[in-house]
Amino acid sequence: MSSNLTLKLSNRAPKKPIKKLPATVDLPRDATVEDAKILIARQTGFSDFNRIGLFDPTTKKTLKNRKALLREEAGVVKTGELVVKDLGPQIAWRTVFVIEYFGPILFHALIPYVRPYIYRFAPYVYKNEAETPVTQVQWLLFALFQIHFLKREYETLFVHKFSANTMPAWNIFRNSAFYWIFAGLLSAWDIYAPGSLSSRNELTGLDYFGIALFVIGEVCNWIVHQHLASLRKPGGTEKGIPNCIGSGLVTSPNYMFEVLAWVGVIFISRSWAVVLFISGGIVYMRDWSRGKEKALRAEFGDRYKKKRYTMLPGLI
């Protein structure tokens, strides 16, 4: 048996080919998808190997698992070929998450202190900080937003383990826009406005119920994230079957508890902007959770207990 794996290389995008792409590449038999990317990037003059996209020549699907052995990829072995594409500038997943979560932290820290300048026109009723100060409920919401997104930042830096190194750099604008505009600018603008539904000093029963939902949601979300991180080794791409709080109900209990926490914030804030933010978030999480259910069924077969609902019991 040959000690090397020789594969033909072809461009996936003939109209935008990788100009220096060699006809073939020689790899060790134990080479992974990532090993091939690194070698092809070196031979084609790419400084970032993450720009190299590799595809199965028979299915045309991307080879997502960067740690997968090429000799175990059926389509690659059958044809002796790799299809290659320049994915364009890339950015680390961790970097994108840190930047997108920073937006709400920034806006909710800034807007309470610039109220004298932004709420002096109709329909707002701002007079001065003595007559229309930030209320106790508004400061409570300030704390809840900061707690949530600082938790997100901590998990991004120290808990989450990403199977992919990077994503297209352009995604940072799309992803950040959602958080910066909806959770940041719009939610902060509505919550801290004089005369808003959040402009109250006394907590009602609904507010206390909202606080309870927020605490339960955040704590359980934290527990699930810790469990999910334990299923993957540092730097690994392997999947595991979740077996933690909420996983008997839905595929992605972290999303379920995320929504629960935000329902609590809605009860306290009564803010249309918060409703808009989490409604958009549910659409994204619905698609991600359904994708995860499909992946778990494909990966583990009968060992995985199929779920009818992927994130919200009885609904989604």
Side-chain angles (χ1 to χ4, degrees), residues 6 16-18 29 40-41 46 49 75 80-81 91 115 119 121 138 159 183 197 208 210 243 250 262 305 309 315-316:
T6 301
K16 294 182 179 180
I18 299 176
R29 285 196 59 79
I40 293 171
F46 283 78
F49 72 87
E81 181 183 3
I91 188 170
R115 294 170 79 248
Y119 295 125
F121 52 88
Q138 288 172 327
V159 177
L197 295 178
Y208 286 112
N243 183 25
V250 294
W262 282 109
K305 185 178 179 181
Y309 301 106
L315 296 174
I316 298 175

Side-chain angles (χ1 to χ4, degrees), residues 92-102 148-162 179 222 225-226:
W93 275 76
R94 204 176 303 275
T95 301
V96 173
F97 279 22
V98 167
I99 292 173
E100 66 186 33
Y101 298 151
F102 178 69
H148 176 82
F149 284 104
L150 287 172
K151 168 182 168 289
R152 285 280 194 95
E153 295 283 33
Y154 180 87
E155 290 173 334
T156 297
L157 293 172
F158 303 110
V159 177
H160 294 325
K161 297 172 184 174
F162 300 97
Y179 283 96
W222 167 266
H225 283 164
Q226 293 288 331

Side-chain angles (χ1 to χ4, degrees), residues 224-299:
V224 176
H225 283 164
Q226 293 288 331
H227 172 70
L228 294 178
S230 73
L231 298 178
R232 178 174 292 158
K233 297 177 182 178
T237 60
E238 68 276 11
K239 293 183 177 69
I241 299 176
N243 183 25
C244 62
I245 184 171
S247 60
L249 297 173
V250 294
T251 311
S252 301
N254 51 321
Y255 296 155
M256 176 176 68
F257 293 123
E258 173 95 1
V259 173
L260 183 67
W262 282 109
V263 169
V265 175
I266 290 170
F267 284 162
I268 301 168
S269 67
R270 285 81 148 169
S271 171
W272 61 268
V274 179
V275 172
L276 190 62
F277 164 65
I278 193 55
S279 296
I282 287 173
V283 173
Y284 284 116
M285 290 186 283
R286 177 201 63 189
D287 294 341
W288 296 333
S289 64
R290 287 175 176 173
K292 183 173 183 178
E293 175 69 16
K294 184 178 180 180
L296 287 170
R297 291 184 183 186
E299 180 89 9

Side-chain angles (χ1 to χ4, degrees), residues 7-10 36 40 54-55 63 70 76 80-84:
L7 297 172
K8 175 186 174 183
L9 300 180
S10 59
I40 293 171
L54 299 181
F55 299 82
L63 300 178
L70 284 172
V76 174
E81 181 183 3
L82 275 174
V83 179
V84 188

Side-chain angles (χ1 to χ4, degrees), residues 9-22 36-37 40-42 44-55 62 82-91 166-170:
L9 300 180
S10 59
N11 277 292
R12 180 174 173 81
K15 293 183 178 180
K16 294 182 179 180
I18 299 176
K19 295 180 180 180
K20 296 182 180 180
L21 186 69
K37 287 186 176 187
I40 293 171
R42 187 182 304 138
T44 53
F46 283 78
S47 58
D48 180 9
F49 72 87
N50 291 299
R51 286 188 64 148
I52 300 295
L54 299 181
F55 299 82
T62 182
L82 275 174
V83 179
V84 188
K85 181 182 179 181
D86 176 10
L87 300 178
Q90 300 288 297
I91 188 170
T166 62
M167 67 172 73
W170 175 253

